[in-house]
Amino acid sequence: MLTRRIKTQLAVLAAITLIIGGYIVLHLVKLPTLLFGVGRYVVTMELPRTGGLYGGALVTYRGTEVGQVQSVQLTNTGVEAKLLLKSGVDIPSDLRAEVHSQTAIGEQFVELLPRNGTSPPLKNGTVIPAASTSIPPDINALLAAANDGLQAIPHDNLKTVIDESYTAVGGLGPELSRIVDDGATLAIDARKNLDPMVALIDGLQPVLASQTNTSGAIQAWASQLATVTKELQTHDQDVAGVIDEGAPALGEARRLVDRLQPTLPTLLANLVSVGQVGVTYHSDIEELLVVIPQLFANHQGSMVANANTKQDYAGFYLNLALNLNVPPPCVTGYLPTQQKRSVIFEDAPPPPPGDVYCRVPQDSQIDVRGARNTPCETRPGKRAPTVKLCESDEQYVPLNDGYNWKGDPNATETGQSVPQLPPGSQPVAGTSGGSMAAELGVVPPIGNAQADPATGTRTGPGGQQGQSDLVTPAPQNKAWQTMLLPPGS
């Protein structure tokens, strides 16, 4: 009779047996995967021949098992292998599938090597073409080639080679072991960085192709290098003399530099500044180098008329024609007459703030070489009076339409000030009218002022009003003699 306790123990034992059997069937034998393909998908691999590949061989990706070979069968063009791969691993479809041997006696496996990590992953039914696959060489052909090579070597010489090889590597076991270990480490690191290595290998093709395309130039360079080497060998004594005598010459050069050391850095720094100026004004320097020889040629040509004559002096022909106000002087853009300093002063007060120059239109015939027509170095074709205006997008704006014989030459239609202040600066208080001289601490005792064209009034430096009836309409009873009399007479 089975007791209750024995029945319980048998039930527990049966449950454990079922669990262990299920685990073996599901995970170790992988029966659902083999029978129904659960969690797997099939990829077809085309090969020219089997290369020793067999059903059940492993399939690896980046050194990790990702499936196995389900079957290998013949086709009309070669061999077709069905690869049963895990569904949880995304493998790029742009890859190479290579058949390798794990050991020297066989045990082939398929290694998947991706070429582009961003390509779509493999899926069920994907076909890897034969152009993207490879198989190992036939081991029989390798053994036959090795046997033929060994038979071609005389046995006595082969014994000598083996003995010398033993003598060469004898006692180098630790070093050889380190070489093997380092090689294995290098191979492991290369496998970890497979994508960069593949990209490097692919990138070598253009470099190697360029070397092939320039093989003629490389051969010419090697030939020229051989010629130079031969010349050096031929003139060996001369080269040795240069080397022997070169040391004292270098010593003298060093002593010269040491003597120049106090002033040489300053000179070089100044040359740097001169070089920067030369770079900036290279077009002007080039123009001077072109114009100056022609200028001297013109001056020399002007003396040809009196050459070989009986005149006492052979020189220039000068034209002494006297021109008055052709063109007239420029007063537009300068301080008004009331603010001008008298010529009796000999001191040098600070100049007024801003720029003072002839500010008539650029095409005016007055002061054609004035600051307003200075060429801009950084803007070819532009002319401006200041560097700020040259480097900005603004254009030069004159004060008025040209030279005015009457009235204020510094017309204010444009809203500009006199002097012209730098951009962004505030005008100085009292810089208009007759107070500029007061701002500078100068009261000119003598000065001239232009008459007002409307009233004829003329204001002197001291603020005194001059005669105001110099314009029409004038009293009918006045003649030109009355202009010579004091006012009120």
Side-chain angles (χ1 to χ4, degrees):
M1 296 293 293
L2 297 176
T3 64
R4 182 179 182 85
R5 179 180 180 182
I6 294 175
K7 292 180 180 179
T8 303
Q9 291 177 349
L10 292 176
V12 171
L13 180 62
I16 294 174
T17 303
L18 291 176
I19 293 173
I20 295 175
Y23 177 80
I24 293 173
V25 171
L26 294 176
H27 294 279
L28 298 182
V29 181
K30 300 178 182 179
L31 189 61
T33 300
L34 295 177
L35 296 179
F36 308 106
V38 177
R40 301 294 177 109
Y41 62 96
V42 178
V43 173
T44 302
M45 174 182 176
E46 297 179 350
L47 296 170
R49 57 181 185 274
T50 60
L53 189 65
Y54 54 89
L58 297 179
V59 179
T60 62
Y61 170 65
R62 297 182 184 273
T64 303
E65 179 185 352
V66 294
Q68 62 183 3
V69 179
Q70 186 180 30
S71 62
V72 179
Q73 51 187 336
L74 291 174
T75 62
N76 295 330
T77 58
V79 176
E80 188 177 82
K82 300 290 185 180
L83 307 182
L84 190 63
L85 305 179
K86 295 180 181 179
S87 301
V89 180
D90 292 335
I91 303 174
S93 58
D94 186 7
L95 51 76
R96 283 188 57 83
E98 300 179 354
V99 179
H100 294 284
S101 297
Q102 290 184 345
T103 62
I105 60 174
E107 300 184 21
Q108 274 73 14
F109 69 98
V110 177
E111 184 176 11
L112 302 179
L113 303 175
R115 290 179 296 196
N116 185 1
T118 61
S119 60
L122 294 175
K123 59 184 179 179
N124 189 44
T126 301
V127 177
I128 304 176
S132 299
T133 62
S134 65
I135 58 176
D138 187 7
I139 187 64
N140 295 325
L142 290 177
L143 293 176
N147 187 30
D148 294 340
L150 293 175
Q151 289 181 354
I153 301 175
H155 296 286
D156 295 338
N157 295 340
L158 180 60
K159 182 178 181 301
T160 303
V161 170
I162 295 175
D163 294 340
E164 294 296 333
S165 301
Y166 173 77
T167 304
V169 301
L172 298 179
E175 287 76 8
L176 294 176
S177 177
R178 282 196 298 270
I179 292 176
V180 174
D181 294 340
D182 293 341
T185 304
L186 180 62
I188 293 173
D189 293 339
R191 181 176 291 275
K192 292 179 179 178
N193 301 276
L194 184 60
D195 289 343
M197 284 197 62
V198 172
L200 176 62
I201 294 173
D202 293 340
L204 283 177
Q205 183 177 0
V207 178
L208 298 178
S210 64
Q211 298 295 320
T212 303
N213 297 333
T214 58
S215 59
I218 296 176
Q219 291 177 357
W221 176 80
S223 176
Q224 295 170 0
L225 181 61
T227 302
V228 172
T229 306
K230 183 178 180 180
E231 291 295 329
L232 290 176
Q233 184 179 4
T234 304
H235 301 85
D236 180 68
Q237 297 297 328
D238 299 335
V239 175
V242 171
I243 296 176
D244 294 338
E245 299 297 333
L250 292 177
E252 292 294 333
R254 180 178 180 180
R255 285 190 289 271
L256 176 61
V257 173
D258 292 339
R259 289 195 298 269
L260 295 176
Q261 187 173 3
T263 58
L264 185 59
T266 304
L267 175 62
L268 295 178
N270 294 336
L271 289 179
V272 170
S273 302
V274 173
Q276 292 175 349
V277 173
V279 170
T280 304
Y281 293 93
H282 69 280
S283 58
D284 307 85
I285 297 174
E286 181 179 357
E287 183 177 1
L288 286 177
L289 295 177
V290 174
V291 172
I292 288 177
Q294 185 62 37
L295 178 63
F296 278 99
N298 294 340
H299 280 275
Q300 292 174 354
S302 63
M303 295 185 293
V304 175
N306 287 339
N308 301 323
T309 63
K310 295 181 179 181
Q311 298 181 9
D312 295 335
Y313 177 77
F316 296 101
Y317 281 109
L318 299 179
N319 186 356
L320 299 180
L322 184 60
N323 294 327
L324 296 178
N325 287 330
V326 181
C330 180
V331 294
T332 302
Y334 296 98
L335 296 177
T337 305
Q338 293 85 353
Q339 299 177 12
K340 294 182 180 178
R341 282 174 51 83
S342 175
V343 295
I344 66 174
F345 293 126
E346 297 180 355
D347 60 340
D355 299 319
V356 178
Y357 58 92
C358 182
R359 291 164 67 180
V360 296
Q362 290 182 321
D363 58 353
S364 174
Q365 296 300 317
I366 302 173
D367 195 16
V368 294
R369 296 183 180 87
R372 71 184 189 278
N373 287 327
T374 303
C376 297
E377 294 296 331
T378 58
R379 297 290 184 89
K382 183 179 180 181
R383 295 175 180 267
T386 62
V387 177
K388 292 289 186 182
L389 189 57
C390 272
E391 295 183 353
S392 66
D393 296 332
E394 300 178 1
Q395 298 297 326
Y396 169 77
V397 178
L399 279 180
N400 52 29
D401 58 352
Y403 180 80
N404 293 327
W405 281 95
K406 296 181 180 180
D408 182 11
N410 296 323
T412 58
E413 290 85 356
T414 60
Q416 302 182 60
S417 61
V418 178
Q420 184 178 16
L421 300 176
S425 61
Q426 298 295 330
V428 180
T431 54
S432 61
S435 58
M436 175 61 73
E439 291 291 332
L440 299 178
V442 177
V443 178
I446 301 176
N448 298 320
Q450 293 180 347
D452 187 352
T455 63
T457 303
R458 178 171 55 86
T459 303
Q464 297 179 355
Q465 298 290 332
Q467 189 171 352
S468 61
D469 55 354
L470 300 180
V471 296
T472 57
Q476 298 297 327
N477 59 349
K478 281 194 174 184
W480 65 271
Q481 293 86 349
T482 60
M483 299 176 61
L484 303 178
L485 297 178
S489 300

